[in-house]
Amino acid sequence: MSNGESAVPEIDPSVPPSGTGCQECLDGGGWWVHLRRCAACGHVGCCDSSPGRHATRHHEGTGHPIIQSFEPGEDWFFDFRGQQMAIGPELAPPSSHPSDQPVPGPEGRVPPDWTERVNS
């Protein structure tokens, strides 16, 4: 395969991530615990432990079924359709948010009692 084609049609390895943080949280004054990247369009959203759960909401709104962790040192994929881990190709760089970006983030917006506010 060439030119960004993938063996999995729901994954486009040529699309870069949409940014270094969850755009919905950034726009709305929110915060996140961890970040996830849509393997189809590159949308970066927050994980389900985060108050906004924007990665799942992105899946629900678009039907894009596969995400990849957008955390440094993590390369796992998850498929919402079967609620299970998945396998995917290397995606366009960068593969994570900057390593100096705080977790949770973004800097200055995480409440002091954030551990009590995470979704379980």
Side-chain angles (χ1 to χ4, degrees):
M1 280 172 255
S2 60
N3 298 330
E5 292 178 25
S6 170
V8 180
E10 297 87 0
I11 297 176
D12 184 345
S14 70
V15 178
S18 61
T20 60
C22 175
Q23 195 60 55
E24 290 87 351
C25 287
L26 291 169
D27 290 347
W31 58 277
W32 59 79
V33 178
H34 295 292
L35 298 172
R36 308 296 180 236
R37 172 186 182 173
C38 176
C41 71
H43 174 270
V44 175
C46 55
C47 71
D48 282 355
S49 294
S50 304
R53 298 180 177 184
H54 291 118
T56 294
R57 290 182 185 199
H58 175 75
H59 158 67
E60 293 168 349
T62 63
H64 297 166
I66 301 173
I67 57 172
Q68 184 179 40
S69 175
F70 199 56
E71 294 296 320
E74 297 181 359
D75 62 1
W76 54 262
F77 286 82
F78 181 80
D79 189 332
F80 285 106
R81 295 169 296 193
Q83 293 294 303
Q84 61 188 4
M85 302 307 283
I87 296 173
E90 186 173 331
L91 301 179
S95 61
S96 71
H97 64 76
S99 60
D100 62 351
Q101 182 173 305
V103 177
E107 188 169 5
R109 287 216 199 139
V110 181
D113 64 343
W114 73 269
T115 57
E116 297 167 23
R117 296 181 180 212
V118 296
N119 297 315
S120 47

